[in-house]
Amino acid sequence: MKLSTPIALLAASALLLLLIPVHQTPAPVPAKARYAVHKSLEVEDEEYFNDGREEYFNELLRNPVTGVIPSDARTSELSHAKDVNVKAKSLNSGFFNWEEVGPNKVGGRTRALAIDLSDNTGNTLIAGGVSGGIWKTTDGGTSWEKKTQTDQSLSVSYIAQNPLTPSTWYYSSGEFDGNSASSRGGGGIYRGSGLWKSTDNGETWNPLLLDDPDILNGSFDSPFDYISKVMVSPTTGNVFITTNGFGVFKSTDGDTFEQKIFGGDGEHVYTDIDIAPNGDILLYSSSESFGEADSVGIFLSTNDGDSWINRTPGFSYPFTSSRGLVKFAPSNPTIAYAFIHEGGGSSVSFFELNLSNGLSFNRTDNLPNYGGPVGGRHSQGDYNMVLAVHPTDPELVFIGGINLFRTFDGFKSSTQNTINQTWIGGYAASETSINRFSNHHPDQHVLIFDPNQPNRAWSGHDGGVSVTQNIANANVFWSKRDNGYNVTQMYTVAIGPDQDDDRIMGGTQDNGTPYFRIGNEAAEVENDLSSGDGSDAHFGENFVWVSTQFGSVLRLGIQTSTGNPMSPFGTPAFNVNWSFVNPTSASQTRFVHPFAINPTNENVMFYPDGRNIYRNTQMQESDNGEQFTFSQREEDYPGWKRLDDIALPSAQVSALAVSYSNPPNRLYYAGNSDFGPEIFRLDNANIDSTGAVNIQIPNLGGSLYPHDIAINPENGDEVIVVFANYESEGIFYSSDAGATWQGIEGNLLGDENNLGPSIRAAAILPGAGRTIYLIGTSTGVYSTDQLQGANTIWTQEATDLIGFSVVADIDVRVADNVVAIGTHGRGVFVGTPTEVVSTIEEETIQAAPGSFELAQNFPNPFNPATTITYSLNTESSVSLSVFDLNGRRVASILQNQPQSSGNHSVRFDASALASGVYLYRIEAMGSNGVSQIASRKMTLIK
């Protein structure tokens, strides 16, 4: 089944629209200040932020020549990644031991949530992150376990349980619009993979619909690319799914979906259904279509979807309709409600439906609309919409957009004077200020009720999961239930700079900049340091710097006693020792805007502005400890100077980094333009503002987007530049400060059959007896210790833990060789080296052999040292490594060591290894270009 070309084109453009988030801010910040940060809630600013985010991600990922993001990116890159893993599995299986570290109490955007009907306590739930997969709790959210595997779909749009056989569950995948992982990790399209089923109460999941050849081909041409909802009839057990673009399907066996019961191809962009306890089905279909809409409105079926009765309201029904929701009153299925987004802005309609006689009542004018910064009924387009009805009270109705509202009479009467009774979630009930409900996040997506305790309600939102014990109470109190529910969508990550430093932070989608500590549960702290959409972040010795969308940067003091940053947005909130420090005169900032702190001198910050760069050399002392706050934002923080002499010729700066040593103070910066990327280097950048050197990579054309620059902390001449675009080489390396470059994407570079990943970040980590190179991609994190230009072999790290998650950023710490990975949908992971630093002694034996040979080590078995002898028949570059029997490299004895022909002997000390059988492997690249490889087993007995 194929969609017409207009459908595919419209779908691609719709998926690039990433709707503006609404942000959280604690009470201690003055209302005027909070409004300054959150003014994006105004309708005109919603469009501005939407356009800004869309433009940013489009630049980041598009083909640099055609300007188009490939429609099949996600499926194609995953196929390529799996192929890479198969071919590289004989090499190292990772240089690091990885741990999932959090943020454990932040959560992330959640559209799917369901309570296990077989657990009378109501403490077993299954939740789904829009890019974080399926999670299960059996203790009421005190802890969660991930149930989807790393190679399964992490896009969850809805969850349903079969009430007749409660061990059977389904989840639908593919979010048609609004998913910020779309651009961060799916070529603008974070398509789903159909429908998934569990028959063991949500413990394991298997895909359905795989007989449809179009579902995984990378194009929007299958009915099952975007499934918005799955429901199971409580009377027949039949399964129903609603799709974007293809209507509603029914399955009588719970496995196959060949029967379409409503809609034609392309007739409705949106459909929705609800099923009453008696089996009746209510259906909504939008006028928005991919062609000509037919049967627009609201329909009722009393025979399991075999036929439909039109229950569309009369003349007051909106002329245009986009996403819409319908809901029965469970205690009286003759009453139902419809909540409809009319398309464009936040215009909505609300209807009460009497299904027994066909009468309808337009209650739109009675919906909450309290004005002020956040008091409207904003649905941010159709990004966040909720409709729910209490299980035992047909007039206790809930709607959600940015906030969560309720009515005790089905909105029969106006709510304008009942703000404290009506406004129960999201931002706090106020017409003038911007606080938020304690333990409840703005942007509503799902609300469900405990069947055994009907006033106990669970809410899924952009901050994760919350619960209230009495949603009908005069005052509603929420508790967060995100501990271990790690679906946070990171943009950046930063790790504390000192050895054994347990501090972590990073910018996120709609959850600000979470800061937390790892390794000590009792002392763990989690705070949002910035509010908004978090952006760049940096730990310094005396200060911490964080930023939000479009480059608003805060400098935060650090508590001497705890080492924690002091933020006005944190808990507790500090109104001292913090400042806004970005140059307000900078006018050309990006949605996720970088900045750079000199790692050897915290007084120096660099800040891009279009083609230009600002420098400040008095970041720590220029305000004499005084707070430079909201009321002063019309003027620049003291000390900024625009370095006009080093401006890029035509490109807009998108990435920059400063060297730490050999030499220090060297600024690398790069940008994109329609004429190709531009890369420059400025030595002595802390004091000089002239003499920038053009280090352009030869033969690069098109609008390639430099997304990251990584410098070896111990060698400022060694640098990697990362380009994020699809369908182009994305990793370039220089060992001579940019005088020469070589592409090193190697086995990750795609071909005509499969797209390679989008490269997002890089890091160079010298230590553990070797230099390790890491790259973060849209299909996970990869590493190597041997760069060989186009022949570089990258091996995926943490295949069974991080898997194919979108790795948005990497930070490394040389003090103890620790790596932090920020993923967009699975939070933060930290890696510690697996490498054993071996004691080696090398002796060359003067004799010229006639052949290449690796001899048996002696003694063998051994404890703790042994000698390895080998012969080279030509001058070679030699690498000698030790592996365990699982294929994990545990020691690197030689790395690309130039050696003459002859016999060589190396002493290997394995004191740090456990007893066992190991493989030692030699690879010799001869001067004639021929590679020779041999391996043997050895036994360590202690």
Side-chain angles (χ1 to χ4, degrees):
M1 188 179 298
K2 300 289 183 182
L3 282 177
S4 63
T5 299
I7 298 176
L9 291 177
L10 181 56
S13 63
L15 284 163
L16 289 174
L17 181 60
L18 297 175
L19 298 173
I20 173 177
V22 187
H23 316 297
Q24 57 181 341
T25 310
V29 184
K32 180 180 179 182
R34 291 192 297 274
Y35 182 73
V37 172
H38 296 282
K39 68 176 184 177
S40 58
L41 288 170
E42 298 175 292
V43 172
E44 62 268 28
D45 286 327
E46 280 191 42
E47 296 175 0
Y48 168 70
F49 273 67
N50 287 341
D51 293 343
R53 183 188 275 126
E54 181 178 356
E55 178 184 1
Y56 169 76
F57 288 131
N58 187 53
E59 280 189 299
L60 191 74
L61 298 170
R62 65 191 179 188
N63 179 299
V65 177
T66 67
V68 176
I69 297 174
S71 62
D72 61 346
R74 187 61 181 167
T75 302
S76 184
E77 69 183 3
L78 287 178
S79 176
H80 177 270
K82 292 174 183 178
D83 186 53
V84 165
N85 283 355
V86 169
K87 292 179 179 178
K89 68 180 181 180
S90 62
L91 301 177
N92 78 79
S93 57
F95 295 119
F96 299 92
N97 292 316
W98 293 94
E99 176 187 5
E100 185 175 346
V101 298
N104 290 324
K105 299 175 183 176
V106 174
R109 186 156 173 257
T110 301
R111 287 193 65 164
L113 190 62
I115 298 176
D116 183 2
L117 299 175
S118 63
D119 181 0
N120 292 331
T121 68
N123 288 326
T124 299
L125 296 92
I126 297 180
V130 293
S131 56
I134 288 285
W135 296 72
K136 183 177 180 180
T137 178
T138 57
D139 55 16
T142 301
S143 62
W144 293 84
E145 291 185 2
K146 184 172 70 74
K147 296 302 180 181
T148 40
Q149 302 302 308
T150 55
D151 60 346
Q152 293 178 337
S153 174
L154 299 183
S155 172
V156 183
S157 59
Y158 207 85
I159 297 170
Q161 184 180 25
N162 188 332
L164 303 182
T165 55
S167 62
T168 300
W169 291 73
Y170 299 87
Y171 81 82
S172 57
S173 66
E175 186 180 30
F176 184 70
D177 55 13
N179 192 328
S180 59
S182 295
S183 288
R184 297 298 293 186
I189 302 175
Y190 205 82
R191 183 174 294 109
S193 55
L195 192 68
W196 292 72
K197 182 178 182 178
S198 172
T199 56
D200 56 7
N201 209 36
E203 293 298 314
T204 60
W205 297 81
N206 295 294
L208 302 178
L209 309 172
L210 291 184
D211 56 337
D212 179 1
D214 294 329
I215 196 169
L216 295 176
N217 71 354
S219 298
F220 180 20
D221 52 8
S222 165
F224 313 118
D225 282 331
Y226 298 100
I227 304 177
S228 56
K229 180 178 279 189
V230 54
M231 298 196 79
V232 183
S233 171
T235 58
T236 66
N238 291 333
V239 183
F240 299 82
I241 59 173
T242 64
T243 71
N244 291 102
F246 288 90
V248 183
F249 290 77
K250 173 182 175 179
S251 172
T252 57
D253 61 8
D255 293 315
T256 57
F257 289 81
E258 298 178 355
Q259 181 184 2
K260 180 183 288 192
I261 61 173
F262 190 92
D265 295 358
E267 287 183 1
H268 309 286
V269 175
Y270 299 94
T271 53
D272 186 55
I273 61 169
D274 189 39
I275 304 179
N278 64 2
D280 288 354
I281 303 173
L282 195 61
L283 182 147
Y284 162 83
S285 58
S286 69
S287 68
E288 185 177 347
S289 68
F290 293 121
E292 183 175 347
D294 189 19
S295 300
V296 174
I298 300 171
F299 301 86
L300 173 69
S301 175
T302 59
N303 55 10
D304 210 36
D306 291 338
S307 62
W308 299 93
I309 305 166
N310 194 328
R311 284 292 182 258
T312 307
F315 65 89
S316 62
Y317 194 77
F319 180 74
T320 61
S321 55
S322 181
R323 184 181 173 200
L325 307 175
V326 288
K327 200 71 177 177
F328 286 102
S331 59
N332 184 358
T334 64
I335 297 175
Y337 299 91
F339 185 35
I340 300 167
H341 179 251
E342 298 176 13
S346 288
S347 298
V348 295
S349 295
F350 186 87
F351 295 90
E352 178 188 341
L353 308 172
N354 188 320
L355 300 175
S356 62
N357 58 23
L359 295 177
S360 61
F361 308 93
N362 189 336
R363 309 294 191 195
T364 307
D365 290 343
N366 294 330
L367 295 182
N369 193 14
Y370 299 117
V374 294
R377 50 179 179 254
H378 297 286
S379 60
Q380 298 186 94
D382 53 25
Y383 170 78
N384 33 232
M385 293 182 69
V386 164
L387 173 61
V389 184
H390 191 274
T392 63
D393 184 346
E395 293 193 329
L396 181 48
V397 181
F398 306 83
I399 63 168
I402 289 172
N403 303 307
L404 186 63
F405 299 112
R406 72 178 174 189
T407 173
F408 287 94
D409 66 358
F411 293 112
K412 290 182 174 64
S413 57
S414 173
T415 55
Q416 205 57 36
N417 297 318
T418 61
I419 181 171
N420 292 326
Q421 182 183 25
T422 301
W423 193 338
I424 62 169
Y427 286 101
S430 172
E431 300 178 55
T432 58
S433 65
I434 305 179
N435 304 322
R436 72 177 179 92
F437 274 82
S438 178
N439 300 317
H440 195 269
H441 197 283
D443 296 357
Q444 312 307 309
H445 300 297
V446 60
L447 183 69
I448 61 172
F449 304 92
D450 188 331
N452 297 300
Q453 305 174 64
N455 282 338
R456 188 187 192 202
W458 294 80
S459 172
H461 41 67
D462 265 14
V465 178
S466 301
V467 64
T468 178
Q469 302 303 322
N470 192 346
I471 200 164
N473 204 24
N475 297 307
V476 176
F477 299 96
W478 297 95
S479 300
K480 286 284 280 177
R481 288 293 187 266
D482 293 325
N483 192 35
Y485 178 56
N486 194 6
V487 297
T488 315
Q489 296 173 313
M490 312 296 297
Y491 290 137
T492 61
V493 67
I495 188 170
D498 302 322
Q499 183 171 348
D500 299 323
D501 199 329
D502 63 356
R503 296 175 299 166
I504 297 281
M505 65 177 173
T508 69
Q509 185 273 333
D510 206 27
N511 283 280
T513 306
Y515 163 78
F516 57 101
R517 309 189 76 141
I518 58 175
N520 186 341
E521 287 285 336
E524 186 174 281
V525 176
E526 294 203 29
N527 277 318
D528 175 7
L529 300 181
S530 71
S531 186
D533 275 274
S535 189
D536 216 345
H538 176 85
F539 280 106
E541 182 178 350
N542 300 309
F543 292 95
V544 164
W545 286 265
V546 297
S547 63
T548 57
Q549 65 269 33
F550 294 107
S552 182
V553 182
L554 287 86
R555 191 204 67 181
L556 309 175
I558 299 175
Q559 281 185 299
T560 304
S561 59
T562 66
N564 295 329
M566 296 187 291
S567 170
F569 300 101
T571 304
F574 292 91
N575 288 319
V576 296
N577 206 20
W578 67 272
S579 296
F580 277 112
V581 297
N582 56 288
T584 57
S585 53
S587 60
Q588 300 181 67
T589 55
R590 299 175 185 270
F591 185 80
V592 179
H593 195 69
F595 62 83
I597 300 290
N598 190 328
T600 61
N601 185 351
E602 287 184 62
N603 271 326
V604 182
M605 174 188 277
F606 299 93
Y607 186 96
D609 176 28
R611 297 172 45 241
N612 298 285
I613 291 179
Y614 280 81
R615 180 181 64 200
N616 195 315
T617 60
Q618 52 191 69
M619 289 303 298
Q620 295 192 70
E621 72 273 359
S622 60
D623 60 353
N624 297 316
E626 297 295 325
Q627 182 180 351
F628 195 75
T629 61
F630 295 95
S631 62
Q632 299 167 290
R633 297 305 294 138
E634 297 305 316
E635 58 182 289
D636 270 348
Y637 183 87
W640 284 109
K641 178 183 178 182
R642 197 173 76 173
L643 308 181
D644 293 331
D645 291 339
I646 69 166
L648 293 178
S650 60
Q652 310 290 301
V653 178
S654 58
L656 70 170
V658 184
S659 66
Y660 187 86
S661 64
N662 298 316
N665 307 314
R666 172 181 284 165
L667 173 67
Y668 291 93
Y669 56 106
N672 69 316
S673 75
D674 291 338
F675 305 103
E678 296 169 355
I679 308 172
F680 278 72
R681 183 192 78 222
L682 178 66
D683 292 338
N684 300 312
N686 58 325
I687 57 174
D688 200 356
S689 59
T690 61
V693 179
N694 187 338
I695 55 172
Q696 174 65 38
I697 300 172
N699 304 318
L700 289 185
S703 55
L704 281 165
Y705 190 98
H707 191 247
D708 193 29
I709 297 175
I711 307 172
N712 187 330
E714 296 181 355
N715 178 5
D717 287 345
E718 189 175 22
V719 60
I720 294 174
V721 175
V722 162
F723 299 96
N725 307 78
Y726 283 108
E727 299 182 308
S728 63
E729 186 157 12
I731 323 171
F732 289 86
Y733 169 81
S734 175
S735 61
D736 52 16
T740 60
W741 295 92
Q742 59 177 324
I744 57 169
E745 191 161 346
N747 61 325
L748 294 186
L749 191 63
D751 53 35
E752 64 276 7
N753 297 317
N754 282 312
L755 204 66
S758 164
I759 313 298
R760 305 303 173 83
I764 304 174
L765 182 61
R770 63 174 60 219
T771 297
I772 300 173
Y773 305 88
L774 298 111
I775 55 170
T777 78
S778 53
T779 61
V781 62
Y782 297 81
S783 65
T784 186
D785 63 347
Q786 299 182 41
L787 297 181
Q788 298 177 340
N791 296 318
T792 298
I793 301 298
W794 297 94
T795 303
Q796 190 176 45
E797 292 273 348
T799 305
D800 297 330
L801 185 62
I802 301 173
F804 301 121
S805 298
V806 180
V807 175
D809 196 25
I810 305 175
D811 194 19
V812 297
R813 183 169 67 213
V814 179
D816 50 8
N817 304 313
V818 171
V819 178
I821 301 295
T823 72
H824 199 74
R826 288 284 289 109
V828 178
F829 297 82
V830 166
T832 55
T834 61
E835 293 299 325
V836 175
V837 182
S838 58
T839 302
I840 61 172
E841 298 175 8
E842 200 271 347
E843 175 187 0
T844 300
I845 303 171
Q846 298 300 322
S851 63
F852 168 78
E853 183 180 359
L854 177 64
Q856 184 65 54
N857 65 301
F858 181 83
N860 187 50
F862 67 97
N863 178 29
T866 188
T867 298
I868 299 172
T869 301
Y870 54 93
S871 301
L872 302 176
N873 57 2
T874 185
E875 182 180 349
S876 303
S877 176
V878 177
S879 295
L880 183 61
S881 301
V882 179
F883 299 82
D884 63 21
L885 294 183
N886 292 321
R888 182 180 298 275
R889 191 197 308 262
V890 295
S892 179
I893 302 173
L894 298 174
Q895 300 178 66
N896 297 322
Q897 181 72 43
Q899 292 186 336
S900 61
S901 62
N903 298 319
H904 299 263
S905 178
V906 175
R907 184 173 183 272
F908 170 56
D909 189 330
S911 298
L913 292 178
S915 297
V917 177
Y918 295 88
L919 299 174
Y920 59 102
R921 179 178 184 268
I922 187 172
E923 181 174 358
M925 177 62 72
S927 57
N928 56 4
V930 176
S931 177
Q932 301 178 96
I933 299 174
S935 62
R936 286 181 178 270
K937 290 183 179 180
M938 60 183 178
T939 303
L940 172 63
I941 299 178
K942 291 186 174 181

